[in-house]
Amino acid sequence: MDDYPLLNVFLSMLWFFLWVMWFFLLFKVCTDLFRDRSMGGWAKAGWLVFVLVLPYLGVFVYLIARGRSMGERDVEQLKEQDAAFRQYVRKAAGTEGGGTVDELHRLAALKEKGDITQDEFERAKAQVLSGAAAPSAGAPGATGGSTSPSGTPGGPARGA
């Protein structure tokens, strides 16, 4: 290690870091180039040749000329991905379409199992049919009533 001073190690690491950073920029420019829908095929081919033949100059000119639109395309892509993810979650959770009918079926099933009383069912049904956002049935205060001292939703304590 005596023949390679510490400063040379530091400079070698710096050059290596800059080289890796430049490759990152090159890949970012190439992916942005092919992601751009507003640019035609010949323009993409021209930019690609420029970036590959004169790599450093090509990347820097591309960043200067199209840097702002690169950010806009990134934001647009993120919004599309977010919208697709939200649609997938809604579909997987089953909250798309048929909300009122599904809610009434769920309330009827809860009433048949004995989880809610007839009075609670009628109040929740009226709330669903009126179009108000009904809280999840079976949760405390689900029917809009108060919680009794025994902790059951609705009116007086049962079995007390």
Side-chain angles (χ1 to χ4, degrees), residues 83-123:
F85 175 73
R86 288 179 186 274
Q87 181 185 13
Y88 170 74
V89 168
R90 273 193 234 86
K91 183 180 177 187
T95 57
E96 285 186 319
T100 304
V101 174
D102 290 339
E103 186 74 16
L104 289 174
H105 280 302
R106 195 168 54 81
L107 285 171
L110 286 172
K111 185 183 83 161
E112 289 172 10
K113 288 188 340 188
D115 290 341
I116 59 174
T117 64
Q118 180 66 30
D119 183 44
E120 292 171 334
F121 173 75
E122 292 300 328
R123 282 186 282 167

Side-chain angles (χ1 to χ4, degrees), residues 22-60:
W22 179 82
F23 268 110
F24 173 77
L25 279 174
L26 178 68
F27 293 136
K28 182 76 172 159
V29 164
C30 288
T31 56
D32 182 67
L33 192 59
F34 289 109
R35 177 177 54 182
D36 189 6
R37 296 180 188 136
S38 66
M39 191 184 308
W42 286 106
K44 288 180 183 184
W47 272 111
L48 188 63
V49 167
F50 184 46
V51 165
L52 293 178
V53 171
L54 298 171
Y56 293 106
L57 183 64
V59 166
F60 291 130

Side-chain angles (χ1 to χ4, degrees), residues 70-81:
M70 280 178 72
E72 292 168 357
R73 281 187 291 280
D74 281 341
V75 169
E76 178 185 331
Q77 182 183 19
L78 289 174
K79 285 182 182 177
E80 289 173 0
Q81 288 176 345

Side-chain angles (χ1 to χ4, degrees), residues 128-158:
V128 168
L129 292 176
S130 71
S136 176
T143 58
S146 61
T147 303
S148 69
S150 68
T152 58
R158 288 182 225 134

